[in-house]
Amino acid sequence: MATRLPGTPRLLRALNDRAALDLLLTRGPLTRAQLGEMTGLSKVTASQLVERLEERGLVRRVGEQAGGRGPNAQLYAVTPGSAHVIGVDVGPDCVVAACADITGTIISRVEQSTKDTDDPVGVVHNAVIQAAGEAGTDMSSVRRVVLGTPGLVDPESGEISFAHDLPRWHRGLLAELRKDLSTPVLFGNDVNLAAVAESGTGGAATGVSDFALVWIGRGVGLATVIAGRLHQGATGAAGEIGYLPVAGAEVPHNASRRGVKGAFQAIAGADAVKAIGKQFGFRGAEASDVVRAAVAAGPAGEPVLDELARRLALGVAATCVVLDPPLVVLAGEVSRAGGAALADRVEREVAAITLVSPKVVVTAVASEPVLHGALRTALDAVRDEVFGSTTD
């Protein structure tokens, strides 16, 4: 005799509600009939579902759809203000915060300088509160704050364990921020969050379950996604590719000390890019300016791109012979400046020096990938909380 599982009708309602809410997010507004067709539910069940979600304030009527005979059908959409999230991109010079509603629409963006303060809690507090205020909401509606930061984030505690460019950021800061903001706060490594953004809608890795993202900008970094999940390692150090030992570069023996450059950072970071450019007659205030000028120069700039691709390929190849991903995304200011011209060269160089030949492409996230990754991380968690509680 079969055993009846307790709570099964409640579980089915929760699954149906979540499916309907996801459809409204991606394909809405929709009528009750359309929701029924897309979820496979009867008209009666679909109507009960919509009423339940409307009562909880998760969906609202946004218009009508003209049909044949009879009254027009009501159109429903997810209520944007049912919850908010804030993403924060923390850099050595400024903090950028943005607030999004539960549909993912960004409704405010603010910046706060970090140059004249030694109070990281105060800087983040001001940016987050201002972002919420300019979005027309307050912290009671903000269900999650995710901060993207350079350095190591301990996967167990969620604390920053090492931040090369942020000497005032320390262990214990996470608890201070949670207490100050009275809402859940999470840290995320900046390059990992860039990979989250790249895997989202419109990113270069959309729909790809295994890929590597190599960040080339002021610093260098790596994020790997395996079977759809970020790989952080035991201590959060997975992806600190700047410390990769490479032939021809000095390997430091005091890597954890501030100001020490790893071997790959020394040959492929911003200072190295400027040196390559100078060798061939290209200069710029930033490394990305040098690469951009080389691309614009046509044949005259090709030696810069060739040398940079040769160096980048050492880090990309080391990653790919271990993980063998089908796709590598080049991100960061230098990668964006180099565009397809740089990505194609790296792809050819990796295939020439290893037995693997991943597709190498440039980022498709137009701006602020760390901020967008932070927002997406926050939204994924909050939607699970809010949408998963519809039968409570």
Side-chain angles (χ1 to χ4, degrees):
M1 180 177 176
T3 303
R4 183 177 180 274
L5 294 177
T8 298
R10 183 170 178 265
L11 174 61
L12 290 175
R13 283 198 301 272
L15 293 173
N16 290 337
D17 289 354
R18 180 60 192 263
L21 287 162
D22 286 340
L23 283 169
L24 288 170
L25 280 173
T26 57
R27 301 178 65 177
L30 298 170
T31 65
R32 297 185 185 205
Q34 289 169 333
L35 277 173
E37 291 172 6
M38 293 178 184
T39 57
L41 300 174
S42 68
K43 291 182 179 180
V44 172
T45 303
S47 292
Q48 292 172 341
L49 177 153
V50 171
E51 289 174 4
R52 187 163 60 246
L53 296 179
E54 195 174 13
E55 287 175 1
R56 295 186 62 84
L58 296 179
V59 304
R60 62 176 184 171
R61 303 179 192 190
V62 294
E64 296 181 342
Q65 184 179 76
R69 298 177 181 178
N72 294 340
Q74 295 287 333
L75 284 166
Y76 294 87
V78 172
T79 305
S82 55
H84 294 84
V85 300
I86 291 178
V88 184
D89 182 1
V90 181
D93 298 321
C94 74
V95 165
V96 181
C99 182
D101 62 36
I102 202 166
T103 70
T105 301
I106 298 175
I107 46 184
S108 72
R109 179 189 177 280
V110 301
E111 293 186 24
Q112 296 281 341
S113 172
T114 59
K115 290 182 178 179
D116 302 321
T117 179
D118 58 359
D119 177 17
V121 174
V123 170
V124 173
H125 173 94
N126 292 339
V128 168
I129 296 300
Q130 186 179 347
E134 293 194 8
T137 187
D138 56 37
M139 292 304 296
S140 65
S141 179
V142 175
R143 300 286 291 263
R144 188 75 94 259
V145 176
V146 174
L147 297 98
T149 173
L152 307 187
V153 178
D154 189 317
E156 291 293 325
S157 67
E159 289 276 10
I160 293 176
S161 56
F162 178 76
H164 178 79
D165 288 334
L166 301 170
R168 298 181 184 91
W169 291 63
H170 52 81
R171 285 189 178 272
L173 183 58
L174 184 61
E176 292 178 35
L177 287 168
R178 287 173 174 170
K179 181 179 179 181
D180 177 78
L181 296 171
S182 299
T183 196
V185 178
L186 297 170
F187 285 130
N189 171 266
D190 52 359
V191 179
N192 281 345
L193 292 178
V196 171
E198 210 69 61
S199 65
T201 304
T206 303
V208 180
S209 59
D210 296 84
F211 72 94
L213 180 142
V214 178
W215 182 278
I216 309 295
R218 186 168 43 82
V220 298
L222 168 73
T224 53
V225 175
I226 303 171
R229 296 172 64 93
L230 277 169
H231 177 68
Q232 299 182 72
T235 64
E240 292 297 324
I241 198 173
Y243 296 97
L244 178 74
V246 291
E250 182 180 354
V251 179
H253 287 81
N254 52 354
S256 62
R257 214 179 72 202
R258 295 195 184 278
V260 173
K261 287 184 180 179
F264 187 60
Q265 169 76 28
I267 70 163
D271 290 343
V273 174
K274 288 183 180 181
I276 295 169
K278 183 178 180 181
Q279 178 184 350
F280 295 101
F282 293 90
R283 290 175 170 81
E286 303 292 341
S288 56
D289 298 329
V290 173
V291 175
R292 196 173 292 108
V295 172
E302 289 184 357
V304 174
L305 298 178
D306 290 342
E307 177 61 18
L308 179 56
R310 184 186 69 79
R311 297 186 185 196
L312 293 179
L314 297 176
V316 174
T319 300
C320 291
V321 294
V322 174
L323 299 176
D324 192 17
L327 177 70
V328 174
V329 180
L330 299 184
E333 310 91 81
V334 170
S335 299
R336 286 201 303 270
L342 179 60
D344 291 346
R345 283 171 166 80
V346 173
E347 181 177 310
R348 290 195 297 269
E349 188 70 21
V350 170
I353 64 176
T354 70
L355 298 177
V356 296
S357 53
K359 179 67 177 173
V360 180
V361 300
V362 72
T363 175
V365 180
S367 64
E368 301 186 315
V370 177
L371 187 65
H372 285 89
L375 286 169
R376 186 181 173 204
T377 300
L379 282 167
D380 286 347
V382 169
R383 285 172 180 169
D384 282 343
E385 289 174 1
V386 175
F387 295 170
S389 64
T390 57
T391 57
D392 289 349

